[in-house]
Amino acid sequence: MKQLWLFNQINSDLQKVEKELTKFVETDYPILQESGIHLLTAGGKRLRPAFTLLAGKFYACSIEKLIPVAMALELIHMATLVHDDVVDASLTRRGRPTVKANWGNIVSVETGDYLLAKSLILISQIDHPEVSRILAEVSVEMCQGEIQQIKASFDVEQNLKQYYFRIKRKTALLISACCKLGALVSEAPRHQVWALGAYGHSLGMAFQIVDDVLDITAKPSEFGKPIGGDLRQGIMTLPMILALRSSPKGSRLHELLKKVDKSDAEVTETIHLIKATGAIDQSMQIVDAYISKAKRRLQDLPKVSSRKALEDLADFIAVRKF
Amino acid sequence: MKQLWLFNQINSDLQKVEKELTKFVETDYPILQESGIHLLTAGGKRLRPAFTLLAGKFYACSIEKLIPVAMALELIHMATLVHDDVVDASLTRRGRPTVKANWGNIVSVETGDYLLAKSLILISQIDHPEVSRILAEVSVEMCQGEIQQIKASFDVEQNLKQYYFRIKRKTALLISACCKLGALVSEAPRHQVWALGAYGHSLGMAFQIVDDVLDITAKPSEFGKPIGGDLRQGIMTLPMILALRSSPKGSRLHELLKKVDKSDAEVTETIHLIKATGAIDQSMQIVDAYISKAKRRLQDLPKVSSRKALEDLADFIAVRKF
């Protein structure tokens, strides 16, 4: 687990989540055990559990009530990651080989199903009528986002609406659910549940755009996965769509972005062309707008320490390098 | 949908399930829509919804209460089928190309996730505290069974215990849940919920053994998938394990069953060797024992028409050719 200084106030609680997660995914089946532990120890920022814990902290919710929710959300996230790796054909994530790279598609499918099934056990024990419905609806939307991404790959004609549609489902809805459910099980007032959900939504949008920018601008050593992955897979991200807008139809950039098997030199050339259009700056302006929107959602919430943490977290999203 | 005469008394209800399922998996995403409808219209016997409806019929449960449960169970079954196709590398099922054959691994993973997520929506709306927990636990066990199958492939040293362990998870637990949940949402007395679950368990074991026998003995035109699929994939089934028992170590049968890429001639030879040991008859005796056990579980249940249907269904399992 990559420890973020931002999580100082929930550090010991996050460690409890970590410990419980490790115990909970334990199984007598060596392959599942290894692939599960591989995923867990591959790190990750544990953003999703952190959001749940911080949301619950507004209402002094007991950690015992929050931990299963936080665990279920991280398990859903891990399950989608391992299934996405089959889909994306990625071979590294968080600086380490993916489950797919180590064990192949078959084990990836089963590991994802197993982690999801384990999350369902936790969810079935959460004593709140709305939690399972919200998570089921988010799961359906996440699949639809993933399918839209497959369909739209290498499509240089797509517009911003399609992009926002996709990242909402790919990232924002689950982060929004993390915040919302933390508040919900803490019996927060309705309008504050909504506000935290809206915060998570805007923050999730910003988070994914930054991820898409980093795929073009990051240092591989910091980013944990190879640069240009989206380019190679034909996933059209915000910087690409914005760069296409300022390039004439039939330009070299159009040609390269459409190309299915790009050589390393072509990937480098594409990155160079995108950067030259100013699309990275434009994308980061949109990130800033989402971050401001996220922070505004917190204005009516109690002024407690977790509000400050969520504000800082929003600021961190925009400057993160990993 | 393959209409079984056994389902005459629930025919119109099953048609309602079918209609609702088609409506429920509908989506604006062409790929998901096509793969989902492809799976639905590929037929299948709709055994699982039938069990739920028949179990509920003991207690005159309203069809409105039973339909979502029946749908959720069929969706879970379909989701596992489409994920198993990635795992098994099968290209036909129920006489038609699989989703994997038509659209590839990626769409198969997403279609399975989508169908499972849709089932979660139904489950979250079922007003019974135990339903989601039971299904979550079954889902975990099903993954463990699938993983054990991967691990044990081409292993001629495995024993009957391992085989039973696997088919329980692969098939029996979900069929048991179908019966149990039909009774549970109908507010059946506890011991009858248990009896129906136990019936489903024994029947599910018999069903899977018959499936494994048919993989060796069926006519391809009736079976809907190629014969010898288990042999090619190295899945050790009951007839194989029994045949190995009566063949000396190092025999030609051992050698063939261990072999990873069998030619067509080798598959035919293996089938011939298995049949010669009498392992098929032995397997069918075990099926009969499970069928008798299943029927005994029904003895204490009310003597209504669905009891006769479940008894007939048990008898049908042993003689089915598809």
Side-chain angles (χ1 to χ4, degrees):
Chain A
M1 190 173 89
K2 215 161 200 163
Q3 204 71 60
L4 283 186
W5 55 268
L6 286 161
F7 295 157
N8 280 349
Q9 62 168 297
I10 49 165
N11 226 342
S12 70
D13 291 343
L14 269 179
Q15 272 164 13
K16 275 186 208 159
V17 171
E18 200 68 15
K19 217 174 127 190
E20 292 294 319
L21 268 178
T22 310
K23 242 197 306 186
F24 189 66
V25 302
E26 222 167 65
T27 145
D28 292 337
Y29 303 81
I31 307 175
L32 271 187
Q33 174 71 10
E34 286 163 30
S35 62
I37 292 299
H38 178 87
L39 267 170
L40 264 178
T41 56
K45 296 175 274 294
R46 301 288 183 263
L47 263 190
R48 288 153 195 84
F51 282 122
T52 304
L53 298 179
L54 287 169
K57 253 182 150 282
F58 274 90
Y59 313 98
C61 184
S62 80
I63 185 70
E64 285 67 34
K65 220 169 166 180
L66 289 169
I67 282 184
V69 185
M71 286 167 69
L73 285 156
E74 186 68 10
L75 286 172
I76 293 174
H77 173 60
M78 284 168 63
T80 61
L81 284 188
V82 71
H83 278 182
D84 288 356
D85 286 338
V86 176
V87 172
D88 296 344
S90 318
L91 294 177
T92 49
R93 186 184 285 280
R94 297 171 178 168
R96 301 213 318 177
T98 58
V99 170
K100 177 202 169 89
N102 274 0
W103 290 276
N105 274 342
I106 296 177
V107 172
S108 299
V109 172
E110 289 306 322
T111 304
D113 288 351
Y114 171 71
L115 296 173
L116 188 67
K118 290 293 275 185
S119 82
L120 296 180
I121 291 202
L122 291 168
I123 295 163
S124 74
Q125 291 162 348
I126 295 167
D127 188 24
H128 193 289
E130 282 175 83
V131 170
S132 63
R133 186 187 49 76
I134 290 172
L135 287 177
E137 283 167 0
V138 169
S139 300
V140 171
E141 301 259 5
M142 287 173 85
C143 292
Q144 293 177 332
E146 194 66 35
I147 279 286
Q148 203 255 23
Q149 177 167 305
I150 296 167
K151 195 179 152 247
S153 58
F154 298 103
D155 175 10
V156 292
E157 304 297 326
Q158 68 193 280
N159 54 33
L160 286 178
K161 200 178 147 198
Q162 287 168 291
Y163 172 76
Y164 290 127
F165 174 98
R166 197 161 63 228
I167 66 168
K168 173 180 169 185
R169 280 151 189 84
K170 187 174 179 172
T171 306
L173 285 176
L174 191 63
I175 292 186
S176 173
C178 293
C179 299
K180 207 192 281 174
L181 297 192
L184 213 51
V185 299
S186 310
E187 280 148 58
R190 259 304 125 169
H191 71 281
Q192 295 189 11
V193 172
W194 178 87
L196 280 161
Y199 161 87
H201 187 279
S202 292
L203 190 123
M205 296 295 280
F207 184 85
Q208 186 57 50
I209 298 173
V210 173
D211 216 60
D212 294 345
V213 166
L214 287 173
D215 191 63
I216 294 171
T217 63
K219 290 187 189 155
S221 60
E222 287 174 338
F223 194 42
K225 47 186 175 184
I227 302 306
D230 294 335
L231 284 171
R232 287 176 209 272
Q233 289 166 53
I235 302 173
M236 291 292 151
T237 61
L238 184 59
M240 300 180 208
I241 296 171
L242 293 175
L244 280 167
R245 279 190 168 186
S246 55
S247 314
K249 266 207 170 177
S251 70
R252 176 75 177 146
L253 183 62
H254 273 82
E255 191 189 310
L256 282 167
L257 287 175
K258 265 194 288 198
K259 191 158 186 277
V260 174
D261 275 314
K262 295 179 186 75
S263 68
D264 287 349
E266 284 168 334
V267 169
T268 309
E269 187 187 353
T270 316
I271 289 176
H272 183 77
L273 288 172
I274 294 168
K275 285 181 175 168
T277 64
I280 301 294
D281 282 347
Q282 278 177 276
S283 300
M284 291 310 292
Q285 281 163 19
I286 297 174
V287 168
D288 288 339
Y290 272 117
I291 296 291
S292 303
K293 199 169 164 190
K295 291 202 287 190
R296 275 202 305 279
R297 298 302 189 193
L298 300 173
Q299 274 170 3
D300 294 333
L301 294 176
K303 275 207 167 172
V304 294
S305 63
S306 57
R307 178 167 147 185
K308 178 80 172 68
L310 289 179
E311 284 164 352
D312 289 347
L313 204 44
D315 288 327
F316 162 74
I317 294 301
V319 297
R320 74 191 180 98
K321 298 270 179 282
F322 56 89
Chain B
M1 190 173 88
K2 216 161 198 163
Q3 204 70 61
L4 284 185
W5 55 270
L6 286 160
F7 295 158
N8 280 349
Q9 62 168 298
I10 50 165
N11 226 343
S12 69
D13 291 343
L14 269 179
Q15 273 164 14
K16 275 187 209 157
V17 171
E18 200 67 17
K19 216 174 126 189
E20 292 294 320
L21 268 177
T22 310
K23 242 196 308 188
F24 190 65
V25 302
E26 224 167 63
T27 146
D28 291 336
Y29 303 82
I31 307 175
L32 271 188
Q33 173 72 9
E34 284 163 33
S35 62
I37 292 300
H38 177 87
L39 267 170
L40 264 178
T41 55
K45 295 175 275 294
R46 301 289 184 262
L47 264 189
R48 289 153 193 84
F51 282 122
T52 305
L53 297 180
L54 286 170
K57 254 186 147 282
F58 274 90
Y59 313 97
C61 184
S62 80
I63 185 71
E64 285 68 34
K65 221 169 166 179
L66 290 170
I67 282 183
V69 185
M71 285 167 69
L73 286 156
E74 186 67 11
L75 287 171
I76 293 175
H77 173 59
M78 284 168 63
T80 61
L81 284 188
V82 70
H83 278 182
D84 287 357
D85 287 338
V86 177
V87 171
D88 296 344
S90 318
L91 295 177
T92 49
R93 185 183 286 277
R94 297 172 178 168
R96 300 212 319 180
T98 59
V99 170
K100 176 203 170 89
N102 274 2
W103 290 276
N105 275 340
I106 296 176
V107 172
S108 298
V109 172
E110 288 308 320
T111 304
D113 288 352
Y114 171 72
L115 295 173
L116 189 67
K118 289 293 274 186
S119 83
L120 297 180
I121 291 200
L122 291 170
I123 295 164
S124 74
Q125 292 162 347
I126 295 167
D127 187 25
H128 193 289
E130 284 176 80
V131 169
S132 63
R133 186 187 49 76
I134 290 172
L135 288 177
E137 283 167 3
V138 169
S139 301
V140 170
E141 301 259 5
M142 287 174 86
C143 293
Q144 293 177 332
E146 194 68 33
I147 280 285
Q148 202 256 23
Q149 178 167 305
I150 296 167
K151 195 180 152 247
S153 57
F154 297 103
D155 174 9
V156 292
E157 304 296 327
Q158 68 193 280
N159 55 34
L160 286 178
K161 201 179 146 197
Q162 287 168 290
Y163 171 75
Y164 290 127
F165 174 97
R166 196 161 64 227
I167 65 168
K168 174 181 169 184
R169 282 154 187 82
K170 186 174 179 171
T171 307
L173 285 176
L174 191 63
I175 292 186
S176 175
C178 293
C179 299
K180 209 192 279 173
L181 297 192
L184 213 51
V185 298
S186 309
E187 281 147 60
R190 257 306 126 168
H191 70 282
Q192 295 189 12
V193 172
W194 178 86
L196 280 162
Y199 161 86
H201 187 278
S202 292
L203 190 124
M205 296 296 279
F207 184 85
Q208 186 58 49
I209 298 173
V210 172
D211 216 59
D212 294 346
V213 165
L214 287 173
D215 191 64
I216 294 171
T217 63
K219 290 187 189 153
S221 60
E222 287 175 337
F223 195 41
K225 48 186 175 185
I227 302 306
D230 294 333
L231 285 171
R232 287 176 210 271
Q233 289 168 53
I235 302 173
M236 291 292 151
T237 61
L238 185 58
M240 299 179 208
I241 297 171
L242 293 175
L244 280 167
R245 281 189 166 187
S246 54
S247 314
K249 265 206 170 177
S251 70
R252 175 75 178 148
L253 183 63
H254 273 82
E255 191 189 308
L256 282 167
L257 285 175
K258 266 194 287 200
K259 192 159 185 277
V260 173
D261 275 313
K262 294 178 188 73
S263 67
D264 287 348
E266 284 168 333
V267 169
T268 308
E269 187 187 352
T270 317
I271 289 177
H272 183 78
L273 288 172
I274 294 168
K275 283 181 177 169
T277 64
I280 300 295
D281 281 348
Q282 278 177 275
S283 300
M284 290 311 292
Q285 281 162 21
I286 297 173
V287 167
D288 288 339
Y290 272 117
I291 297 292
S292 301
K293 200 171 163 189
K295 291 201 288 188
R296 276 201 305 279
R297 299 300 189 194
L298 301 173
Q299 274 169 4
D300 294 333
L301 294 176
K303 274 206 169 176
V304 294
S305 64
S306 56
R307 177 166 147 187
K308 178 77 173 67
L310 289 179
E311 284 163 352
D312 290 347
L313 204 44
D315 288 327
F316 163 74
I317 294 301
V319 296
R320 74 190 180 98
K321 298 270 179 283
F322 57 90

